[in-house]
Amino acid sequence: MATVNYYDVIIRPVVTEKSMAGMSDRKYTFLVHTDANKFQIKDAVEKMFEGAKVESVHTINSKGKNKRRGMTFGKTAATKKAIVKLTEDSKDIELFSSL
């Protein structure tokens, strides 16, 4: 297994209605590297977002789906999501600072 650096762990935030509703409870959802563990995800969030202190991390592995296009069969990529809960005394994460 290759080493995963902290800047390679978080791929992008997940923007859905459910993840936006969780932001009010200080829960943020990210698409993460499939080989990253909870300790690496916690470290990456605290290093990438200044002032953020992580309380807990929950991960979700999704297998790739079988797809077909005509006679060609294939599979979509497997993904991993992480739901990160921040402590009460940490700063909020600014995901959309350019808006």
Side-chain angles (χ1 to χ4, degrees):
M1 181 168 98
T3 59
V4 180
N5 296 321
Y6 78 91
Y7 47 81
D8 293 330
V9 171
I10 297 176
I11 298 171
R12 62 183 165 91
V14 176
V15 181
T16 60
E17 285 185 41
K18 189 173 182 178
S19 67
M20 291 293 127
M23 289 173 68
S24 63
D25 297 331
R26 304 179 71 81
K27 292 181 181 179
Y28 296 89
T29 307
F30 298 101
L31 190 68
V32 295
H33 194 279
T34 54
D35 291 336
N37 59 30
K38 291 183 180 187
F39 301 111
Q40 291 172 329
I41 295 167
K42 178 182 177 180
D43 187 44
V45 169
E46 289 177 348
K47 286 183 179 178
M48 291 180 73
F49 302 105
E50 188 176 324
K53 296 177 187 173
V54 177
E55 181 179 325
S56 64
V57 177
H58 297 281
T59 58
I60 302 153
N61 286 312
S62 299
K63 294 180 182 177
K65 294 182 180 180
N66 293 323
K67 294 290 183 177
R68 190 181 101 179
R69 184 171 183 146
M71 292 295 291
T72 306
F73 290 89
K75 199 167 200 153
T76 60
T79 58
K80 186 173 193 176
K81 288 192 293 186
I83 300 171
V84 178
K85 183 170 180 166
L86 301 181
T87 60
E88 292 296 324
D89 60 337
S90 73
K91 293 173 68 176
D92 286 335
I93 294 176
E94 294 292 329
L95 294 178
F96 308 107
S97 60
S98 63
L99 293 178

